[in-house]
Amino acid sequence: MSDPNTLRILEIDGGGERGYLPLNFLKHFVNLWGIDPARISDYFDVICGTSVGGIMSLSLALGLTPDEMSLFFTDQGRSIFSLFPPPLYSVRPNAAAKVALILTNTPFYQSSGIAEDFYGSGLLYKTLQNTFGLTTTMQSLRTNVIIPSYEQDTQRYVLFSNLNYPEFIGQNELIYNVGLATGAAPVYLPPLEMNGHSYLDGGIYQNNPAQFGKTLAHMIKPNANRVCILSLGTGIGEMGFDPGDASIVDVRVENIVARLQNMAGSRGAGLQAFDSIQTIFGLFNIASVGGQESVARSLLLESKYTLNQVYTYRFQPLLDPDMNTELDNTDLEILTYYEETALQAFNGDIDNISAFLGHLTA
C-alpha cells in the first residue's frame, strides 16, 4: 500500500452456507492482486462482517487464508446444518418440521446428547474454538474489526471490536465467542449465552456493516481523504425454507408435525400456519436484503455523485431462482453452483474489478 491517506475496508455480509460465495470470489480477487493470502489483514485498515461474514472477517484478521476457511463450508457446514451427526450429512428438517420447530421455539440445529459436539450448534461451537483457539482474544487480531450482534436480554444492538471506544464491546473477549455471538441465527441456531447476556445473530442489526467499517477507518485515520471499500455479499436469492424431504422425521416435534399435516390436509388452521410462517420468512428475506443493499446503494451514490474520493466494489450476484439457495443448504450441488457463480461473476466483471484494484493499491 503506497498512499497512507487511503482507508481500505473489507466487508462480508451474512448468509449462512451462502458465505461460500464471497469466499470463492475473495480467492480470485486475492489471486489477481498477487498478495499472500495469509496476509490479507495487512492490506486493510478495517475488516468487518456479520454472521458467517463476521466469522470469516475474524478468521482473515487472525491470518487464516480463504483456502483454510473453505472446509468450514464444504466439511463442517454439512454437519452443522444437520439433524444428525456423521455419517449422516446435511439432513435438514422438512417444511412441516420447520414450522413445528418455529411454533415450539426450538432452533432447527440445537444439538444435544453424547454426540452434541459432532453436529448442529455443538459442532459450530467446537469448530470456532478449534479455529480461533481456546484462549485467543480480540487483541490478537492483526487489524481492526467491527462485528455486529444483538444483545437479546437488554434489547441492545451492539458492535464488537478490538478497539477501545465506549460505543464498542468485547475488546478483550475470546474471538470464538464473538464469532458465535454474531452467528447465532434465530430459528436456525440457539442464542449464545455469554457473560450473563444472550446474543443473537448480527443480521438482526445490520447484515452489511460496510458503513460501520468506513466510519471506524475514519476514526483511526481522521486525516485520510481516500476510501476504498471491497464489499462482498452472499447473493440475492430466496433465503426461506424449501419443502425438503417429507420422509425425514424430527422426533422433537413428531406429534406436532402430524397434527399440522392433518389440519393442512383439511385446509384448516394447519395450512394457515404453513402460510403464515412462509410469509414471515419472505418478509425476513425482504427486510434483510433491503437493509444490506441500502448500505451498498448509499456508498455507490457517494462514490458516483459526490466529490468525496470513495471507491467501492460490491460483489452481489443474482442467484438462480430454480436453485435451493436456503441458508442451511449444504448439498454438494449447491456448493458447486456457488463456486461456478463466483467464478463467472469475477470473470464477467474483470474490467471493473481491475479498476477497483487499481484504486485499492494506489
Side-chain angles (χ1 to χ4, degrees), residues 261-284:
Q261 289 173 331
N262 289 336
M263 288 189 292
S266 62
R267 302 194 65 80
L271 185 58
Q272 293 177 6
F274 279 93
D275 290 344
S276 296
I277 295 296
Q278 289 176 329
T279 298
I280 290 170
F281 262 74
L283 292 173
F284 168 78

Side-chain angles (χ1 to χ4, degrees), residues 36-94:
D36 181 352
R39 308 301 304 184
I40 291 174
S41 58
D42 292 350
Y43 297 89
F44 290 98
D45 299 288
V46 176
I47 300 180
C48 54
T50 297
S51 193
V52 73
I55 293 171
M56 294 164 67
S57 296
L58 292 166
S59 299
L60 293 169
L62 192 62
L64 274 71
T65 69
D67 280 336
E68 290 173 322
M69 294 160 58
S70 289
L71 285 177
F72 182 79
F73 299 97
T74 61
D75 188 3
Q76 287 96 345
R78 299 179 65 202
S79 291
I80 291 171
F81 292 124
S82 184
L83 297 175
F84 308 108
L88 298 174
Y89 295 101
S90 197
V91 181
R92 302 180 297 277
N94 58 44

Side-chain angles (χ1 to χ4, degrees), residues 13-14 206-208 235-236 288-296 314 316:
D13 291 10
Q206 177 51 259
N207 207 43
N208 173 359
I236 300 293
S288 177
V289 172
Q292 68 192 31
E293 295 312 303
S294 64
V295 172
R314 174 72 167 166
Q316 186 69 307

Side-chain angles (χ1 to χ4, degrees), residues 103-159:
L103 292 175
T104 57
N105 196 30
T106 305
F108 298 166
Y109 304 107
Q110 184 167 12
S111 55
S112 62
I114 60 174
E116 179 178 9
D117 292 348
F118 301 99
Y119 76 106
S121 57
L123 176 59
L124 176 62
Y125 189 92
K126 283 297 181 182
T127 297
L128 295 194
Q129 282 189 328
N130 292 336
T131 299
F132 298 121
L134 295 175
T135 60
T136 312
T137 72
M138 296 281 279
Q139 292 305 309
S140 297
L141 298 176
R142 298 177 178 178
T143 192
N144 309 295
V145 302
I146 191 163
I147 310 291
S149 186
Y150 180 69
E151 202 170 79
Q152 185 179 25
D153 56 297
T154 64
Q155 300 183 343
R156 184 168 69 120
Y157 299 98
V158 296
L159 295 168

Side-chain angles (χ1 to χ4, degrees), residues 96-344:
K98 286 187 173 180
V99 169
L101 288 166
I102 291 170
L103 292 175
T104 57
N105 196 30
T106 305
F108 298 166
Y109 304 107
Q110 184 167 12
S111 55
S112 62
I114 60 174
E116 179 178 9
D117 292 348
F118 301 99
Y119 76 106
S121 57
L123 176 59
L124 176 62
Y125 189 92
K126 283 297 181 182
T127 297
L128 295 194
Q129 282 189 328
N130 292 336
T131 299
F132 298 121
L134 295 175
T135 60
T136 312
T137 72
M138 296 281 279
Q139 292 305 309
S140 297
L141 298 176
R142 298 177 178 178
T143 192
N144 309 295
V145 302
I146 191 163
I147 310 291
S149 186
Y150 180 69
E151 202 170 79
Q152 185 179 25
D153 56 297
T154 64
Q155 300 183 343
R156 184 168 69 120
Y157 299 98
V158 296
L159 295 168
F160 286 95
S161 179
N162 51 343
L163 292 183
N164 190 24
Y165 289 93
E167 291 80 8
F168 302 151
I169 68 170
Q171 288 86 354
N172 296 296
E173 186 55 70
L174 296 169
I175 299 174
Y176 77 80
N177 273 337
V178 177
L180 290 168
T182 194
V187 177
Y188 292 93
L189 296 164
L192 172 69
E193 304 299 330
M194 178 179 69
N195 301 330
H197 295 293
S198 179
Y199 293 94
L200 294 177
D201 193 284
I204 294 175
Y205 188 177
Q206 177 51 259
N207 207 43
N208 173 359
Q211 188 65 56
F212 283 132
K214 178 172 177 279
T215 300
L216 180 59
H218 277 297
M219 293 163 62
I220 298 165
K221 294 165 63 174
N223 294 323
N225 55 18
R226 294 179 74 251
V227 180
C228 292
I229 304 172
L230 177 60
S231 179
L232 307 181
T234 56
I236 300 293
E238 183 57 50
M239 296 183 185
F241 53 89
D242 67 301
D245 186 346
S247 67
I248 295 173
V249 175
D250 190 326
V251 296
R252 296 174 294 178
V253 289
E254 186 175 358
N255 293 333
I256 297 174
V257 170
R259 291 201 300 270
L260 285 171
Q261 289 173 331
N262 289 336
M263 288 189 292
S266 62
R267 302 194 65 80
L271 185 58
Q272 293 177 6
F274 279 93
D275 290 344
S276 296
I277 295 296
Q278 289 176 329
T279 298
I280 290 170
F281 262 74
L283 292 173
F284 168 78
N285 183 38
I286 293 169
S288 177
V289 172
Q292 68 192 31
E293 295 312 303
S294 64
V295 172
R297 181 64 60 87
S298 175
L299 292 171
L300 176 64
L301 292 174
E302 183 179 8
S303 174
K304 291 181 65 175
Y305 299 111
T306 75
L307 297 179
N308 299 335
Q309 295 186 72
V310 176
Y311 306 96
T312 68
Y313 187 83
R314 174 72 167 166
F315 167 73
Q316 186 69 307
L318 291 175
L319 302 180
D320 185 345
D322 293 327
M323 298 292 293
N324 173 17
T325 55
E326 186 180 2
L327 302 185
D328 59 349
N329 185 7
T330 62
D331 293 343
L332 295 179
E333 178 187 17
I334 198 68
L335 294 178
T336 300
Y337 169 71
Y338 291 154
E339 291 175 359
E340 293 172 348
T341 299
L343 179 59
Q344 290 171 3

